Amino acid sequence: MTRHFLTDLDLSPEELGRVLTLAAAMKAAPYAITPLAGPQTAAVYFDKTSTRTRISFAAGISALGGAPLIINPGESQLGHKESISDTAKVLERMVSLIIWRTYEQSGLEEMAAHSRVPVINALSDDYHPCQLVADLLTVREHLGELTGRSLAYLGDAANNMANSYLLAGANAGMDVRIAGPEGYQPAEEIVSAARVRAAETGGSVTITTEASEALAGADVVATDTWISMGQEDEKEQRLQLFGDYRVDAAALAQAAEGAIVLHCLPAYREAEISAEVIDGPQSVVWDEAENRLHAQKALMAWLLVESGLADEETVALVRAGERGEELPRR
């Protein structure tokens, strides 16, 4: 069966651990696994502007031996003159992976329903799961075991990053605390799904309007821009609304000693995060940004193996990487 990655819960807790271990092995040996040698092509659709997603997928596909085909808005018939399902049926005959940064989650679901090659959510209005694989890899690098660690997210708690922190954190067995003002908190179905998964992994979920409740003793402090694409007209209102959720020195002082700070970028210094914090010693945002490359490479290789679309050498190397074995340097 073809495996897709559309939400954070498309990986089981055990599978998430395997992918993270594989990502660490592939980071140490960047060119050891080349499932796209040929080169095979991966289609990468962008309906939204991007820096890290575009560069990390393009570089990652190349490092896996493939050729990235970047498709910008207006450069194809997708969603305009041709249906998503028809596009999927064409693409699956020509490319080995479909990666899509888009708006509606339903479009990704329709693409996956009609594709025999893996479809990856490179960001939608509802989720940013690739970012969270990179974030969890970063936390493991700096703090070790994820289970039992506490993660505080402050700010716009109704956006795709808050949703993915809830789901991915619960999937990893973390204690996830989400703080945002009334009217800007996660949808109940997201919270419910996170709590169900947390009950399986030993994690927990807290939703609050109090930043201090989320921050108290937290091992990881995360935030995101308060003004996402399409919200520019609400800038002044949002700056006032989210002011109590800024990640600054006073906020960080409430977290655990040695807590690390995440931000998926782009960051607006002195809005959601202070320059003192993002440029300070507890910030790991640059490692986090780099890890988009390594996490996504591991995810792509893993999906190809699990979908039965990789050769025997790739399968053997991916399984070795999942076990934490050292991969050959090339």
Side-chain angles (χ1 to χ4, degrees):
M1 181 179 70
T2 305
R3 293 293 300 268
H4 307 290
F5 189 59
L6 308 184
T7 82
D8 305 87
L9 297 186
D10 282 343
L11 297 176
S12 71
E14 187 268 340
E15 289 171 341
L16 174 60
R18 287 161 54 193
V19 170
L20 291 173
T21 301
L22 174 63
M26 293 179 70
K27 183 174 182 177
Y31 308 108
I33 300 178
T34 55
L36 295 176
Q40 300 174 50
T41 301
V44 192
Y45 279 87
F46 285 95
D47 294 342
K48 295 185 176 185
T49 58
S50 169
T51 297
R52 278 149 296 281
T53 300
R54 179 183 296 265
I55 294 169
S56 59
F57 268 113
I61 291 162
S62 296
L64 295 178
L69 175 60
I70 306 295
I71 305 165
N72 294 310
E75 294 181 348
S76 78
Q77 313 293 357
L78 176 62
H80 302 287
K81 295 182 180 180
E82 187 167 45
S83 68
I84 294 171
S85 59
D86 284 357
T87 300
K89 292 172 185 176
V90 172
L91 288 174
E92 69 176 9
R93 294 167 178 254
M94 299 183 182
V95 304
S96 298
L97 290 161
I98 301 169
I99 297 128
W100 193 6
R101 181 180 175 94
T102 189
Y103 294 91
E104 295 182 1
Q105 182 73 14
S106 59
L108 284 154
E109 292 168 357
E110 184 177 356
M111 182 75 81
H114 294 89
S115 173
R116 292 176 295 183
V117 301
V119 176
I120 297 174
N121 179 358
L123 178 143
S124 70
D125 287 346
D126 293 336
Y127 309 102
H128 200 355
C130 288
Q131 179 68 58
L132 261 293
V133 180
D135 285 10
L136 294 178
L137 176 62
T138 307
V139 175
R140 281 213 338 184
E141 287 179 342
H142 287 269
L143 300 180
E145 180 63 41
L146 297 174
T147 302
R149 291 289 185 181
S150 52
L151 183 150
Y153 171 89
L154 274 59
D156 185 350
N159 70 7
N160 51 7
M161 283 302 300
N163 290 344
S164 279
Y165 273 120
L166 267 173
L167 298 177
N171 209 21
M174 301 180 76
D175 298 323
V176 186
R177 311 164 187 173
I178 305 291
E182 291 286 355
Y184 293 86
Q185 295 194 334
E188 183 52 42
E189 60 265 27
I190 301 293
V191 177
S192 178
R195 285 186 169 140
V196 168
R197 186 54 59 91
E200 300 171 4
T201 62
S204 67
V205 169
T206 300
I207 309 298
T208 181
T209 58
E210 299 296 327
S212 58
E213 182 180 359
L215 285 165
D219 298 305
V220 183
V221 178
T223 189
D224 183 25
T225 177
W226 295 342
I227 307 154
S228 296
M229 286 178 281
Q231 297 173 336
E232 290 79 8
D233 293 343
E234 306 171 34
K235 179 178 179 179
E236 293 306 318
Q237 174 190 350
R238 283 176 164 266
L239 288 174
Q240 293 183 6
L241 180 67
F242 296 117
D244 291 339
Y245 303 91
R246 176 178 290 108
V247 177
D248 55 18
L252 193 54
Q254 299 176 60
E257 184 178 357
I260 60 173
V261 176
L262 300 175
H263 192 309
C264 66
L265 304 175
Y268 298 89
R269 286 168 168 79
E270 309 310 334
E272 73 273 5
I273 192 167
S274 68
E276 178 184 13
V277 169
I278 195 170
D279 296 326
Q282 291 173 266
S283 170
V284 296
V285 299
W286 314 117
D287 292 342
E288 178 187 9
E290 178 191 344
N291 280 339
R292 287 291 303 276
L293 171 65
H294 308 299
Q296 288 163 188
K297 283 173 61 182
L299 180 65
M300 287 187 283
W302 189 86
L303 289 171
L304 289 166
V305 166
E306 292 295 313
S307 300
L309 299 174
D311 60 28
E312 291 182 3
E313 179 184 7
T314 296
V315 173
L317 288 168
V318 165
R319 297 307 183 214
E322 287 177 336
R323 295 189 295 268
E325 297 176 13
E326 184 175 348
L327 299 175
R329 303 297 179 95
R330 295 180 180 176

